[in-house]
């Protein structure tokens, strides 16, 4: 069936009927009855054939030998509907079937390559008959197929068909861009390297560029690994410095706490001294004089208040224990 969803009903009826048709496109024994007012305003080439003094102007028949009937049928469909059916079909033995006898086309299961070639042929016939909108439509169908269903298989056949059948620079750029994206894979394929569009020198240049790219990629990988190693070493040193700072702070906090305890205990000794008038030893008759004796260990000092004469200990010892 034709693609008619966005086609004005009048044009659809004209396409499906030969009523009022005034021009025939003949290809491979098939006749496509069309209307000059529809096709000539879209194709300057057909318009020139109909308006000139050539045979087509008098017979109203244009013979098309450069393309197959399916491609011509799709071109006519586009001229009436602005779309074409990209279903790949097989033509029955009744090659004399006319345009409206589309039941003679038997559907097959197409491969991606067949669908791509169908669109390439549409670009080619659009290029030949100077139908820019058809070229653009074919390209919008080709590009996503190449991007989303990429396979190196038969890609060389598609490239060969593009460069042999159409001069459309936009399509050639699409093919070149696709090839560049997958060049590392394609350059190893014999059929790609032997394309007429490729020269031995060009292939040599491409392979050299890829080899240089791989070398730079390996070098970049090595540099990245070196940088990662340096970062890891720096991280380890930073963690070690942080641990040292933490240990130093802990020692500093312990020293501060110890000093506070020392001061507190000395103050307690002085307070005891201020409240004591005589030695608590009843046999010591001297006026009470005293001193503070430091004992214990460095990390656990002990301070004792003693009578300076009899060395009698006053009150209990005050202990300072380090944290």
């Amino acid at each position: 069936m034709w693609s008619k969803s966005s086609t004005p009903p009048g044009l659809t009826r004209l396409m499906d009927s030969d009523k009022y048709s005034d021009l025939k496109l003949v290809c491979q024994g098939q006749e496509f009855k069309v209307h000059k007012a529809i096709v000539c305003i879209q194709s300057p080439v057909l318009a020139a054939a109909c308006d000139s003094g050539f045979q087509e102007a008098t017979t109203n028949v244009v013979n098309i030998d450069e393309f197959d009937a399916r491609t011509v049928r799709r071109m006519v469909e586009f001229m009436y509907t602005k779309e074409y059916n990209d279903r790949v079909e097989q033509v029955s033995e009744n090659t004399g079937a006319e345009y409206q006898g589309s039941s003679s086309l038997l559907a097959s299961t197409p491969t991606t390559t067949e669908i791509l070639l169908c669109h390439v042929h549409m670009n080619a016939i659009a290029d030949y008959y100077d139908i820019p909108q058809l070229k653009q439509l074919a390209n919008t169908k080709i590009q996503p197929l190449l991007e989303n269903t990429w396979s190196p298989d038969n890609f060389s056949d598609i490239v060969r068909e593009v460069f042999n059948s159409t001069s459309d620079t936009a399509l050639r750029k699409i093919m070149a861009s696709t090839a560049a994206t997958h060049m590392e894979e394609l350059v190893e394929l014999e059929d790609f390297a032997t394309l007429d569009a490729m020269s031995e020198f060009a292939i040599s240049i491409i392979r050299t560029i890829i080899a240089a790219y791989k070398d730079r990629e390996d070098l970049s990988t090595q540099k990245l690994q070196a940088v990662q190693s340096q970062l890891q070493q720096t991280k380890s040193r930073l963690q070690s410095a942080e641990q040292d700072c933490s240990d130093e702070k802990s020692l500093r906090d312990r020293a501060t706490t110890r000093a506070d305890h020392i001061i507190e205990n000395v103050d307690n000794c002085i307070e005891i001294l201020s409240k004591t008038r005589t030695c608590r030893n009843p046999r010591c008759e001297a006026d009470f004089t005293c001193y503070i004796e430091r004992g214990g260990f460095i990390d656990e000092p002990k301070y004792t208040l003693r009578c300076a004469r009899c060395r009698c200990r006053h009150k209990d010892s005050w202990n300072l224990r380090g944290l």
Side-chain angles (χ1 to χ4, degrees):
M1 297 297 294
W2 305 111
S3 302
K4 306 174 183 178
S5 59
S6 60
T7 306
L11 290 182
T12 301
R13 287 195 295 270
L14 284 175
M15 181 181 67
D16 290 339
S17 173
D18 60 359
K19 191 174 183 180
Y20 306 120
S21 64
D22 50 5
L23 182 66
K24 288 183 182 180
L25 306 180
V26 180
C27 180
Q28 294 182 331
Q30 295 190 44
E31 292 185 356
F32 301 89
K33 297 178 180 181
V34 297
H35 305 79
K36 293 180 182 178
I38 300 296
V39 301
C40 290
I41 61 173
Q42 299 183 66
S43 169
V45 175
L46 289 176
C50 293
D51 295 340
S52 66
F54 297 132
Q55 179 181 357
E56 291 84 354
T58 57
T59 62
N60 291 318
V61 175
V62 175
N63 291 299
I64 299 177
D65 301 321
E66 296 80 8
F67 303 94
D68 59 39
R70 288 169 290 182
T71 302
V72 174
R73 174 173 57 81
R74 293 186 178 102
M75 178 186 71
V76 172
E77 179 184 3
F78 171 82
M79 287 179 164
Y80 282 87
T81 69
K82 297 305 177 186
E83 183 56 272
Y84 64 84
N85 189 341
D86 58 6
R87 182 179 58 190
V88 177
E89 300 161 328
Q90 296 176 340
V91 181
S92 69
E93 295 180 357
N94 182 18
T95 57
E98 293 188 356
Y99 172 74
Q100 56 267 38
S102 58
S103 60
S104 63
L105 299 175
L106 305 178
S108 63
T109 302
T111 64
T112 300
T113 299
E114 289 173 332
I115 296 174
L116 281 167
L117 287 174
C118 165
H119 296 313
V120 170
H121 295 157
M122 293 310 299
N123 178 286
I125 198 170
D127 184 62
Y128 187 88
Y129 285 104
D130 193 11
I131 311 173
Q133 288 184 333
L134 179 54
K135 281 196 295 186
Q136 184 178 4
L137 177 61
N139 291 348
T140 60
K141 293 176 180 289
I142 291 171
Q143 188 162 7
L145 273 174
L146 290 173
E147 292 174 352
N148 301 327
T149 61
W150 162 254
S151 171
D153 299 336
N154 302 317
F155 181 75
S156 299
D157 295 334
I158 299 169
V159 173
R160 185 179 294 107
E161 187 67 21
V162 168
F163 279 83
N164 289 338
S165 65
T166 177
S167 62
D168 181 27
T169 56
L171 179 54
R172 292 188 175 192
K173 286 181 179 179
I174 290 174
M175 302 306 297
S177 176
T178 303
T181 301
H182 302 280
M183 184 54 67
E184 187 173 349
E185 183 178 7
L186 289 171
V187 76
E188 301 302 328
L189 300 179
E190 187 64 27
D191 60 343
F192 183 78
T194 57
L195 278 173
D196 294 339
M198 304 291 290
S199 67
E200 181 179 353
F201 181 58
I203 288 294
S204 176
I205 292 175
I206 292 171
R207 285 174 173 163
T208 301
I209 292 173
I210 291 176
Y213 171 77
K214 286 183 175 179
D215 291 340
R216 287 196 300 270
E217 187 177 33
D218 292 341
L219 181 60
S220 297
T221 301
Q222 294 174 2
K223 289 182 177 179
L224 179 59
Q225 291 174 344
V227 170
Q228 289 175 336
S229 177
Q230 292 175 356
L231 286 174
Q232 186 61 39
Q233 293 175 5
T234 302
K235 182 180 178 181
S236 298
R237 288 196 294 267
L238 180 60
Q239 290 175 339
S240 178
E242 289 177 345
Q243 184 62 45
D244 291 343
C245 288
S246 177
D247 294 343
E248 183 179 353
K249 183 178 182 299
S250 178
L251 291 174
R252 197 163 51 243
D253 290 344
R254 291 173 60 187
T256 300
T257 302
R258 186 180 304 112
D260 291 341
H261 284 182
I262 292 173
I263 294 172
E264 180 183 357
N265 282 268
V266 170
D267 288 343
N268 286 333
C269 290
I270 294 173
E271 182 179 359
I272 294 171
L273 176 62
S274 66
K275 295 178 180 180
T276 305
R277 296 290 179 266
T278 59
C279 180
R280 71 184 182 89
N281 183 359
R283 290 176 295 180
C284 181
E285 298 177 352
D287 293 338
F288 183 69
T289 57
C290 65
Y291 66 94
I292 298 175
E293 181 184 75
R294 184 182 187 278
F297 304 97
I298 293 177
D299 291 338
E300 192 176 353
K302 176 188 290 186
Y303 296 90
T304 305
L305 183 64
R306 290 185 181 275
C307 175
R309 181 178 178 183
C310 69
R311 297 180 55 83
C312 175
R313 186 177 62 185
H314 281 250
K315 300 292 185 181
D316 293 329
S317 298
W318 294 86
N319 295 326
L320 170 65
R321 297 181 180 275
L323 296 178

